[in-house]
């Protein structure tokens, strides 16, 4: 494998993981960010993201001289004291904009900033999740016939991003210039993963299509769980029976309070908007979004049924992040449920291993505590909202002596009902008998 000189614009979740992992594969990588204080922290080996293995890769990359951090895109792509970059990854935010469409402001701004600085023959790679047609729009914005544009979507799961990058199911690379696609695919050659080389539009569609399918699968199993509650069936047995079918598989068959995070809500809404712009509807995806929104309400119903009235009731929440293993609160179903409980007058104490302190403007509906015992004290009900493994090994007998009522609503079906019952708790799951 030939080592390449790579610039990564954006040192957030995707950019930092991409840069550190590419450096670990032997490439020389310069990561840029507009936040000077953040760059200083990264240079000191301080990674402000809860992601297993990422800090170690950053420190190792810098120690080996293969990973650098600079302020600003210009410094990354046009350093007079360094050889020219060969590949530029755009890893900037593409949040949900008005109407659900992806906001491409950051992509457009960076492309406009560096277009006259890019060395001839380099490749610009859209790594961020972007709508179909963004590669073509980027190519027009750059207006450089000597610079190719490639789509190379990421498939990273928070909490296992480093593992996912270094052990991918596939590498998807799309470009209307075959040689550019092959150059980008070659960056990953040491990983030994199958490469899907296609046109840019198809590569862009792959990411949306995959995430929308996973969202539909999750919404489907949540709808099944509701039906199991009504009919007296057990969703755990139902999904086990389904999962052994190789056409279905075991993954994404766990019910919960709904899907969230930085990808699925944004990508499903963006896909609906892409279809609308093409004059079509995607009723399956739209129904999945509606089912997901309703799932939050069903979890509130479970809590209300468990305690009677919510107004003035003290409730202990276990979990705030959108999933275990991360400190990410973006579009967290736990926060949505908390906001609904608070709107009905509940007093909320919340504990989350990944969020030990309050985040102003984000966790305002709850009082964040750093000990599960504080969340449990005098609570009429404990509500599990995030599937942290640590919650299984809490001292439930001790917690039983702190709560006002021994009731647990487990929206993740995480806990062992027998363990809870031996500690004196009533356990209420989702779709479970």
């Amino acid at each position: 494998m030939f080592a390449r000189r790579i610039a990564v614009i954006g040192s957030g979740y995707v950019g930092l993981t991409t840069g550190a992992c590419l450096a670990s594969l032997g490439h020389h990588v310069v990561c840029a960010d507009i936040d000077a204080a953040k760059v200083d922290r990264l240079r000191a080996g301080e990674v402000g993201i809860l992601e297993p293995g990422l800090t170690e890769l950053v420190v190792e990359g810098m120690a080996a001289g293969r990973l650098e951090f600079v302020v600003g895109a210009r410094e990354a792509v046009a350093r007079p004291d360094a050889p020219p970059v060969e590949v530029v990854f755009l890893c900037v935010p593409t949040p949900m904009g008005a109407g659900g469409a992806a906001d491409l402001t950051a992509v457009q701004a960076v492309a406009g900033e560096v277009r006259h600085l890019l060395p001839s023959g380099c490749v610009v790679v859209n790594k961020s999740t972007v709508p179909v047609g963004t590669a073509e729009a980027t190519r027009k914005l750059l207006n450089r016939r000597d610079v190719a544009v490639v789509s190379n979507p990421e498939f990273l799961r928070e909490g296992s991003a480093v593992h996912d990058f270094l052990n991918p199911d596939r590498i998807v690379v799309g470009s209307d210039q075959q040689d550019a696609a092959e150059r980008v695919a070659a960056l990953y050659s040491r990983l030994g993963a199958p490469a899907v080389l296609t046109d840019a539009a198809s590569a862009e569609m792959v990411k949306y299509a995959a995430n929308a399918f996973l969202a539909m699968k999750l919404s489907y199993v949540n709808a099944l769980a509701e039906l199991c509650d009504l009919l007296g069936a057990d969703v755990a047995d139902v999904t086990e029976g389904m999962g052994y079918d190789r056409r279905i598989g075991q993954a994404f068959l766990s019910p919960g309070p709904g899907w969230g995070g930085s990808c699925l809500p944004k990508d499903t809404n963006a896909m609906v908007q892409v279809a609308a712009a093409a004059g079509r509807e995607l009723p399956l995806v739209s129904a999945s979004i509606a089912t997901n929104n309703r799932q939050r309400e069903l979890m509130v119903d479970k809590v209300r049924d468990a305690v009677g009235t919510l107004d003035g009731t003290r409730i202990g929440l276990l979990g705030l992040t959108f999933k275990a293993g991360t400190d990410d609160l973006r579009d967290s179903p736990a926060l949505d449920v908390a906001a609904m409980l608070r709107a009905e007058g509940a007093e909320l104490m919340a504990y989350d291993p990944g969020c030990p302190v309050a985040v102003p403007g984000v966790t305002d509906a709850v009082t964040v505590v750093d000990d599960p015992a504080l969340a449990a004290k005098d609570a009429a009900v404990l509500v599990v909202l995030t599937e942290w493994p640590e919650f299984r090994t809490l001292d439930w007998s001790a917690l039983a002596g702190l709560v006002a009522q021994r009731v647990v609503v487990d929206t993740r079906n995480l806990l062992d009902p027998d363990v809870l019952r031996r500690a004196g708790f009533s356990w209420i799951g989702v779709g479970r008998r």
Side-chain angles (χ1 to χ4, degrees):
M1 183 201 79
F2 293 103
R4 298 293 186 185
R5 298 194 66 84
I6 299 170
V8 176
I9 312 303
S11 295
Y13 176 77
V14 172
L16 186 57
T17 303
T18 297
C21 288
L22 286 173
S24 76
L25 296 178
H27 303 292
H28 186 276
V29 182
V30 178
C31 289
D33 202 277
I34 59 174
D35 186 340
K38 180 180 183 179
V39 169
D40 287 340
R41 292 193 297 271
L42 289 170
R43 286 172 175 167
E46 299 174 10
V47 175
I49 301 173
L50 181 59
E51 190 61 53
L54 186 55
T55 298
E56 292 80 357
L57 279 189
V58 168
V59 172
E60 291 168 7
M62 289 191 296
R66 293 193 301 268
L67 183 61
E68 301 177 66
F69 295 97
V70 299
V71 179
R74 290 173 176 266
E75 181 67 15
V77 303
R79 303 175 71 185
D81 58 339
V85 295
E86 299 167 88
V87 183
V88 178
F89 281 86
L90 304 185
C91 300
V92 294
T94 55
M96 191 188 308
D103 183 349
L104 301 179
T105 302
V107 174
Q108 296 162 349
V110 171
E113 181 181 0
V114 304
R115 61 180 174 179
H116 297 305
L117 303 174
L118 297 170
S120 180
C122 91
V123 178
V124 173
V125 181
N126 274 330
K127 193 71 171 172
S128 305
T129 302
V130 294
V132 177
T134 302
E136 176 62 16
T138 303
R139 185 188 65 78
K140 291 179 178 178
L141 180 57
L142 292 174
N143 195 25
R144 291 279 302 273
R145 292 190 176 184
D146 58 338
V147 173
V149 177
V150 169
S151 174
N152 174 218
E154 53 86 13
F155 300 96
L156 306 178
R157 298 169 299 166
E158 293 192 42
S160 60
V162 170
H163 178 272
D164 291 346
F165 191 103
L166 298 177
N167 301 272
D169 295 323
R170 75 291 204 197
I171 304 294
V172 177
V173 184
S175 178
D176 297 330
Q177 296 177 244
Q178 183 72 11
D179 61 331
E182 292 174 353
R183 285 172 61 189
V184 172
L187 299 176
Y188 304 94
S189 60
R190 284 183 57 186
L191 301 179
V196 178
L197 300 183
T198 183
D199 59 273
S202 297
E204 290 165 338
M205 179 61 83
V206 167
K207 178 61 184 291
Y208 280 130
N211 276 357
F213 181 83
L214 295 176
M216 287 190 290
K217 193 173 182 182
L218 285 170
S219 285
Y220 177 67
V221 77
N222 280 334
L224 279 182
E226 181 185 5
L227 197 56
C228 286
D229 272 333
L230 295 172
L231 301 179
D234 192 315
V235 74
D237 294 341
V238 172
T239 54
E240 181 182 10
M242 292 169 58
Y244 285 117
D245 188 326
R246 288 173 293 179
R247 298 167 301 175
I248 298 174
Q250 300 279 0
F252 284 75
L253 286 182
S254 297
W259 36 268
S262 63
C263 291
L264 294 188
K266 174 172 68 73
D267 293 352
T268 49
N269 279 280
M271 193 168 185
V272 170
Q273 291 299 314
V274 167
R280 294 291 184 271
E281 295 181 352
L282 287 177
L284 285 175
V285 180
S286 297
S288 296
I289 295 171
T291 298
N292 192 54
N293 293 334
R294 183 168 177 270
Q295 190 68 8
R296 272 85 158 157
E297 299 171 3
L298 292 176
M299 299 304 102
V300 174
D301 291 344
K302 281 185 174 290
V303 178
R304 190 189 302 106
D305 291 344
V307 297
T309 180
L310 294 175
D311 189 20
T313 299
R314 187 181 181 91
I315 298 174
L317 304 182
L318 297 177
L320 291 174
T321 55
F322 89 94
K323 64 178 289 188
T326 177
D327 55 0
D328 198 343
L329 297 168
R330 288 176 292 180
D331 277 305
S332 171
L335 289 178
D336 286 344
V337 171
M340 292 177 186
L341 293 171
R342 184 70 187 89
E344 293 195 34
E347 178 189 354
L348 307 176
M349 308 294 287
Y351 168 75
D352 189 298
C355 181
V357 296
V359 180
V362 179
T363 61
D364 296 346
V366 305
T367 299
V368 178
V369 296
D370 60 2
D371 189 323
L374 296 176
K377 185 168 178 54
D378 299 327
V381 60
L382 294 176
V383 184
V384 178
L385 291 170
T386 309
E387 74 284 16
W388 286 96
E390 295 95 315
F391 294 160
R392 293 194 184 100
T393 57
L394 293 177
D395 188 342
W396 287 99
S397 295
L399 294 180
L402 297 173
V403 296
Q405 298 183 72
R406 297 178 181 181
V407 180
V408 172
V409 174
D410 186 355
T411 72
R412 297 281 186 170
N413 291 343
L414 174 73
L415 307 176
D416 185 333
D418 290 334
V419 171
L420 271 292
R421 291 186 186 112
R422 285 197 294 270
F425 282 94
S426 297
W427 178 87
I428 302 168
V430 179
R432 298 294 309 276
R433 285 184 304 202

